[in-house]
Amino acid sequence: MRSLTVEWSDPAALAAAGRSMSGLEFLRAIRDGRLPQPPIAQLLGFRLAEVEPGRAVFEIVPGEQHYNPIGVVHGGVAMTLLDSAMGCCVQTSLPSGSAYTTLEAKTNLVRAITKDTGALRAIGKVVHVGNRIATAEARLEDAGGKLYAHASTTCIVLNGG
């Protein structure tokens, strides 16, 4: 039998801190450790590694704890990383007091991920940010640039919170 212990900080406090900063400032504070990683990152074991205007990169080392019943990493892990990268790259464009939520996301899983795959990076880039709608795309790649999955999203921008 194997076990995994997960600890996280209060997500309501993290969200409140985020409302007082621009999206880019908030994400940089998480990246730099001035604010805690969100609970989903702690649970799945990924982290925000890079963030700049219109771009966000998450990293994970897949392990057995991510496996589904057929012996590979569950596709939902890849989808979660891609969704995080796409949403956060949109968030980098938002002023203090604004928010976003995903309206639609499409993911293509192109090869299996296992505990032997090694570190993966979900690289999200903004395609368009308007007053109400934003779009983004992301790629999930290994250290050599081999593609494991790719995705696109449409988000709604919620001005004033």
Side-chain angles (χ1 to χ4, degrees):
M1 185 56 99
R2 294 158 172 87
S3 68
L4 179 67
T5 301
V6 179
E7 296 179 352
W8 62 90
S9 297
D10 179 4
L14 180 61
R19 287 188 290 276
S20 69
M21 305 176 200
S22 73
L24 184 60
E25 292 167 333
F26 178 57
L27 293 171
R28 284 180 172 164
I30 292 172
R31 177 201 62 195
D32 297 343
R34 290 180 279 121
L35 288 173
Q37 296 282 333
I40 188 69
Q42 296 297 115
L43 180 64
L44 292 180
F46 66 89
R47 71 181 189 91
L48 178 60
E50 299 174 25
V51 64
E52 59 191 60
R55 186 172 184 272
V57 179
F58 285 86
E59 294 178 338
I60 191 169
V61 177
E64 286 183 337
Q65 72 274 21
H66 301 120
Y67 273 33
N68 62 25
I70 62 171
V72 296
V73 172
H74 192 283
V77 173
M79 292 174 187
T80 298
L81 285 164
L82 292 164
D83 182 58
S84 296
M86 292 183 298
C88 287
C89 75
V90 166
Q91 190 173 6
T92 67
S93 303
L94 301 181
S96 177
S98 291
Y100 73 94
T101 193
T102 301
L103 288 175
E104 178 271 339
K106 163 98 169 69
T107 302
N108 294 282
L109 306 168
V110 299
R111 64 176 34 89
I113 300 168
T114 71
K115 64 181 179 57
D116 299 321
T117 299
L120 293 172
R121 292 167 50 90
I123 304 159
K125 296 178 183 177
V126 161
V127 174
H128 169 79
V129 177
N131 289 331
R132 296 291 292 159
I133 299 295
T135 58
E137 57 193 17
R139 296 172 56 89
L140 186 63
E141 302 175 347
D142 68 13
K146 184 187 285 186
L147 183 67
Y148 285 79
H150 58 96
S152 61
T153 192
T154 302
C155 298
I156 187 166
V157 177
L158 306 167
N159 295 312

